[in-house]
Amino acid sequence: MEYKEDLRIIRTRKLLSATLLDMMEESSIEKISVIDLCKRAMVNRATFYAHFEDKYHLLSFALEELKDSVYESFTREVPAASPKELFRKLVMMAVEYLSDKHNHVARIVEHNRNEKVVHTLTDSLAQSIRYQLGKFKTTHPSAVPPQMTAVCYAGALVSLLMWLLDNPAVLEDKDIDKYLEALIEENLK
């Protein structure tokens, strides 16, 4: 007989996860207390601790859901003739994605630069890039394993995005597209 998880448990975990992510749009995880989280979710503290050891355990759970969201955003069809063109388009997508002030992920990253959040974003982008690079394995073979290329590009992309978040005036520059285009052109021959 197959075990099915109780719907109430699933609902409670999702509620706590969504509440934490909502709160992380306004503040860092370090400043969020379990008491405030429970008040906002309208859940008893005992219920919280029945599902999670602490807020960092909940953060791990919530980031897995966030990871899926980022992966889905970057694995949709991106028409490109080469890996270089693909990466250029992914960079532009990522810049638009994080510069959108209404974007849930952008606001979370803006307030939470801890290792777990950054690693989740990097890992998710690396998975997306690897998926996208898989489309070129016969037309543009590479001596570098796709996972290594994906991790390298994702790390560079996340570092660039963090810098852009710290320097919002750059995002307002009307030539940002040209700068990013030149950056990729000069470094990915």
Side-chain angles (χ1 to χ4, degrees), residues 19-172:
T19 303
L20 177 63
L21 292 175
D22 286 346
M23 291 176 79
M24 287 174 66
E25 289 183 44
E26 304 157 11
S27 182
S28 71
I29 183 71
E30 290 79 17
K31 294 179 181 174
I32 297 171
S33 71
V34 172
I35 293 170
D36 292 338
L37 175 71
C38 290
K39 279 182 189 175
R40 193 171 224 183
M42 294 187 284
V43 170
N44 187 302
R45 275 184 48 213
T47 302
F48 174 88
Y49 286 111
H51 297 282
F52 300 101
E53 295 169 19
D54 57 21
K55 67 182 178 181
Y56 295 103
H57 183 210
L58 171 59
L59 176 63
S60 295
F61 179 83
L63 288 177
E64 281 305 309
E65 293 190 354
L66 190 66
K67 186 178 186 176
D68 294 342
S69 166
V70 172
Y71 179 77
E72 286 173 21
S73 296
F74 287 89
T75 52
R76 64 179 187 256
E77 193 57 37
V78 179
S82 68
K84 183 170 147 181
E85 183 183 351
L86 168 73
F87 189 65
R88 183 181 56 75
K89 287 183 176 185
L90 289 175
V91 167
M92 300 310 281
M93 283 171 57
V95 168
E96 287 175 23
Y97 188 76
L98 278 187
S99 64
D100 176 5
K101 294 297 179 196
H102 303 291
N103 183 306
H104 186 60
V105 176
R107 291 192 311 264
I108 290 170
V109 171
E110 189 174 357
H111 295 289
N112 295 273
R113 305 286 179 89
N114 66 53
E115 182 183 345
K116 284 186 176 191
V117 172
V118 172
H119 175 74
T120 297
L121 183 60
T122 306
D123 189 48
S124 187
L125 286 171
Q127 286 180 22
S128 299
I129 292 168
R130 183 176 181 193
Y131 167 80
Q132 297 287 4
L133 287 173
K135 298 174 186 175
F136 298 103
K137 66 181 174 189
T138 55
T139 58
H140 293 81
S142 174
V144 180
Q147 185 61 32
M148 184 180 280
T149 302
V151 168
C152 179
Y153 287 176
L157 184 53
V158 168
S159 292
L160 174 64
L161 295 173
M162 297 298 174
W163 181 80
L164 289 170
L165 282 173
D166 290 340
N167 297 280
V170 176
L171 287 171
E172 303 299 322

